[in-house]
Amino acid sequence: KAGVTQTPRYLIKTRGQQVTLSCSPISGHRSVSWYQQTPGQGLQFLFEYFSETQRNKGNFPGRFSGRQFSNSRSEMNVSTLELGDSALYLCASSWDRASDTQYFGPGTRLTVL
Amino acid sequence: KQEVTQIPAALSVPEGENLVLNCSFTDSAIYNLQWFRQDPGKGLTSLLLIQSSQREQTSGRLNASLDKSSGRSTLYIAASQPGDSATYLCAVRTGANSKLTFGKGITLSVRP
């Protein structure tokens, strides 16, 4: 059974640009959560989607947005990139509720110059 | 607001030693607690999930305990090996559909 996949694995952008990250959950999983990981703040929750609906949201500015498609694949978008957005962005999927065991993808390393 | 603390931030032990990693949380009304492992530059691997009604979970050489009243969880690793070297993160959920709140992790190094 394939694990959670994230594309691309690495990205370099400049300030002011926008970026879209993609996450494909484990087959059959319907909940997808996104996290930002930085050395200073650690892992912080961005949002969770279930059946194409945002079910939970963290404390991030509106520049961070996401969506989920009918096949449970999810995308995350960051507009007007800032230097502080440089981070490892992790996606996790679970069967039904987000409270089930979460399975993480390898992450997308975003560098903003 | 739930806060999760893991101290110390780093730990180095010789191979073969039994060790305990600690995790503390401020709000004892948790739904479940999960321990993860993260290798450098990689995603997280789930190790153990403890529901609020459980006291402990075991998987191989790993045993995690939960004491909600004191706001603590411990991850016990028996007979540590160099392959156990990684960062170990504890994460707490306060409701069935609430977010996971993570500690900053403990970076473990097991010396051969």
Side-chain angles (χ1 to χ4, degrees):
Chain A
K1 199 173 191 180
V4 178
T5 58
Q6 292 186 246
T7 56
R9 293 292 313 280
Y10 302 91
L11 265 179
I12 299 176
K13 294 285 188 178
T14 56
R15 280 181 299 174
Q17 288 187 308
Q18 76 164 17
V19 66
T20 299
L21 312 181
S22 180
C23 171
S24 293
I26 291 172
S27 177
H29 285 193
R30 297 186 294 169
S31 170
V32 174
S33 299
W34 288 89
Y35 298 85
Q36 180 195 67
Q37 186 176 32
T38 59
Q41 298 297 317
L43 265 154
Q44 293 186 286
F45 173 77
L46 281 156
F47 25 66
E48 185 227 343
Y49 286 88
F50 179 85
S51 293
E52 303 179 64
T53 300
Q54 187 180 88
R55 194 158 62 175
N56 213 339
K57 189 177 188 302
N59 297 322
F60 278 81
R63 300 185 296 107
F64 292 81
S65 63
R67 60 177 175 169
Q68 186 180 35
F69 302 95
S70 59
N71 62 358
S72 293
R73 190 177 71 85
S74 177
E75 287 182 348
M76 189 192 95
N77 184 274
V78 187
S79 62
T80 318
L81 284 166
E82 300 177 359
L83 294 179
D85 296 333
S86 294
L88 181 67
Y89 290 87
L90 293 163
C91 160
S93 75
S94 57
W95 177 252
D96 187 353
R97 298 175 305 180
S99 54
D100 297 333
T101 298
Q102 293 213 311
Y103 296 87
F104 279 77
T108 294
R109 172 73 63 186
L110 172 64
T111 301
V112 182
L113 303 176
Chain B
K1 178 188 170 187
Q2 180 71 271
E3 293 182 1
V4 180
T5 303
Q6 294 183 256
I7 296 172
L11 186 62
S12 179
V13 301
E15 182 177 4
E17 189 163 300
N18 300 324
L19 58 103
V20 172
L21 306 181
N22 293 307
C23 169
S24 61
F25 45 93
T26 54
D27 185 351
S28 62
I30 68 169
Y31 186 82
N32 62 28
L33 181 147
Q34 199 164 355
W35 281 93
F36 294 90
R37 167 189 172 136
Q38 185 175 30
D39 293 287
K42 303 285 181 64
L44 279 65
T45 300
S46 178
L47 297 173
L48 291 163
L49 171 68
I50 310 178
Q51 303 294 349
S52 62
S53 58
Q54 299 174 317
R55 295 281 297 184
E56 64 180 303
Q57 282 285 343
T58 298
S59 177
R61 295 183 294 109
L62 305 179
N63 175 277
S65 67
L66 174 64
D67 183 344
K68 288 192 303 179
S69 62
S70 66
R72 293 188 61 178
S73 175
T74 61
L75 179 66
Y76 174 82
I77 303 176
S80 59
Q81 304 169 358
D84 295 329
S85 298
T87 296
Y88 291 81
L89 297 111
C90 159
V92 170
R93 196 183 300 276
T94 53
N97 289 315
S98 66
K99 65 176 185 176
L100 267 179
T101 300
F102 281 85
K104 295 204 172 171
I106 298 174
T107 299
L108 172 67
S109 173
V110 181
R111 308 186 301 272

